[in-house]
Amino acid sequence: MIKTSPYLLAAAIGAQFLLPPSPALARSESDGSGELAALIGDWRVGPVVTKDGAFAYCIAEGRFDNGQSLVIARSRQGELNIGIAMSAAHLTRGASWPVTLVLGGDFKRQRQAVAADPNMLVVANGADEPLFQALSRDGSLKINGPHDAIGYQLSGTGKAMAGLKDCSERADSQPAAPLGSVASTPLQLPPALKRLLAEAGFKTIGLMPAAAVPQGLGPADFVWKTDTVVAGMAEFRTEPGQGLSNLSGNALNQLREQRCSQGFSVTEGESANLPRGSFRSVTVACTSSAGIERHIAFLFEFGRTGLYKHFFFEAADPGAAIHDREAIARVLKQAESH
């Protein structure tokens, strides 16, 4: 029974920390074993609900002979998270490190793993349909960390992923009994982000769960609302060779592919190279498949140490989105220029 904190769709809580690799990925590549954990029994598929019974997301959960459980979560927007439940893992909550997902030997994704709970490791993926299709094929899933790896033999996933998709698409009328519930925990901003918003002049903000990130803009670590603007932030360490142009371009491509089907206009704003990092400001106007025009103002920041942050500000009024972005940019630039 899944009944922990909202680890699966609170995508990358604590991803601002990069700590040494944990022993969670217990099967080492260096030992040459290549052993894959085998599924025990069948996958369990069903919804997870909030404390008051409202739909939160759907999961497919499989137990394996290494004592772990693989939990694949899908939101009503098609966002995917992969969780590994481990007993007595003693992970440091908020620790994160880069991992590579490998399915069937040749399908790969570079991701960030986060210890959302002491016994739960989470890899957030956003709405990645090719990854979902890869998970639907029997084969193998390997999660390679910086120094160690773990692997699972995937069987029965075609039926399980079909059930998972059906569950998430029937989110508002779930006839199945819930597999678990999400604990009701107060939403909080980390002190650094709280201070940043205060210095930018925001007096009152409405915190939203990370799962509320608008389509095409996730995964996000934190999401909030100010008047007519929905805003959010993601932050992670990058791999060697990544740059601001590549990272920001990936974010724009994701928005275009997942959200902006009828027009995609990009207006470049201010870019700057400062002593401690570089910035890029971009505003996007596009129309969704439902014919709704939206405006998203982005602020991308890439530090000299490889720490990447991106902020988004979405509103019907482009002026409101740009206003909120520039308020944040002003504070960050002042801090980075000293």
Side-chain angles (χ1 to χ4, degrees):
M1 173 73 75
I2 302 297
K3 51 182 179 181
T4 64
S5 63
Y7 52 80
L8 286 167
L9 287 182
I13 294 174
Q16 62 271 27
F17 303 104
L18 184 70
L19 301 183
S22 139
L25 304 183
R27 297 180 187 272
S28 173
E29 288 185 301
S30 62
D31 65 11
S33 65
E35 184 181 354
L36 299 176
L39 182 70
I40 301 175
D42 296 324
W43 290 86
R44 299 169 65 242
V45 179
V48 173
V49 300
T50 62
K51 187 177 181 180
D52 59 4
F55 174 84
Y57 48 87
C58 288
I59 62 168
E61 179 185 13
R63 294 174 55 245
F64 287 79
D65 63 2
N66 61 354
Q68 300 174 356
S69 292
L70 191 62
V71 185
I72 301 171
R74 182 181 171 105
S75 73
R76 50 164 58 91
Q77 292 82 21
E79 296 162 324
L80 286 175
N81 282 352
I82 298 174
I84 304 172
M86 302 159 286
S87 60
H90 306 299
L91 302 177
T92 301
R93 188 189 301 271
S96 68
W97 54 92
V99 296
T100 302
L101 305 181
V102 183
L103 288 108
D106 55 2
F107 185 97
K108 296 183 179 181
R109 286 289 189 264
Q110 304 295 327
R111 295 293 190 245
Q112 195 84 355
V114 178
D117 281 314
N119 298 324
M120 173 61 69
L121 189 69
V122 176
V123 180
N125 298 281
D128 189 332
E129 185 60 23
L131 174 60
F132 183 76
Q133 294 302 322
L135 287 167
S136 300
R137 295 188 288 270
D138 287 354
S140 64
L141 167 63
K142 294 182 179 179
I143 304 176
N144 299 328
H147 303 291
D148 42 25
I150 194 166
Y152 300 93
Q153 181 180 344
L154 297 183
S155 60
T157 54
K159 179 180 178 181
M161 293 304 100
L164 181 63
K165 183 177 182 180
D166 181 64
C167 173
S168 63
E169 291 178 347
R170 294 184 292 108
D172 296 320
S173 58
Q174 291 292 337
L179 292 186
S181 61
V182 174
S184 178
T185 56
L187 295 173
Q188 296 185 16
L189 292 175
L193 180 56
K194 186 176 182 180
R195 183 168 58 251
L196 170 63
L197 293 173
E199 291 178 0
F202 297 108
K203 304 296 184 182
T204 303
I205 62 171
L207 292 183
M208 304 170 67
V213 60
Q215 183 181 5
L217 296 174
D221 299 339
F222 303 99
V223 180
W224 63 91
K225 192 175 188 298
T226 61
D227 295 327
T228 60
V229 179
V230 174
M233 184 200 79
E235 178 182 68
F236 58 86
R237 296 280 179 182
T238 62
E239 296 182 356
Q242 296 281 358
L244 180 61
S245 177
N246 182 42
L247 292 165
S248 58
N250 290 341
L252 295 176
N253 287 336
Q254 175 180 292
L255 176 63
R256 179 170 52 208
E257 292 170 1
Q258 298 181 7
R259 177 86 171 278
C260 300
S261 59
Q262 303 178 33
F264 188 79
S265 173
V266 177
T267 302
E268 291 286 344
E270 180 184 3
S271 295
N273 290 313
L274 301 174
R276 295 172 57 186
S278 54
F279 290 85
R280 181 188 180 191
S281 297
V282 173
T283 303
V284 173
C286 72
T287 304
S288 69
S289 58
I292 301 174
E293 182 175 332
R294 302 299 289 178
H295 301 270
I296 302 99
F298 288 97
L299 175 64
F300 305 102
E301 178 189 9
F302 188 53
R304 302 298 183 201
T305 61
L307 182 64
Y308 168 73
K309 301 177 185 177
H310 91 242
F311 296 82
F312 66 82
F313 306 85
E314 178 175 336
D317 174 16
I322 293 172
H323 172 273
D324 282 16
R325 178 191 66 196
E326 293 305 301
I328 296 289
R330 183 184 67 254
V331 177
L332 288 176
K333 291 172 186 176
Q334 289 174 349
E336 292 294 330
S337 61
H338 294 90

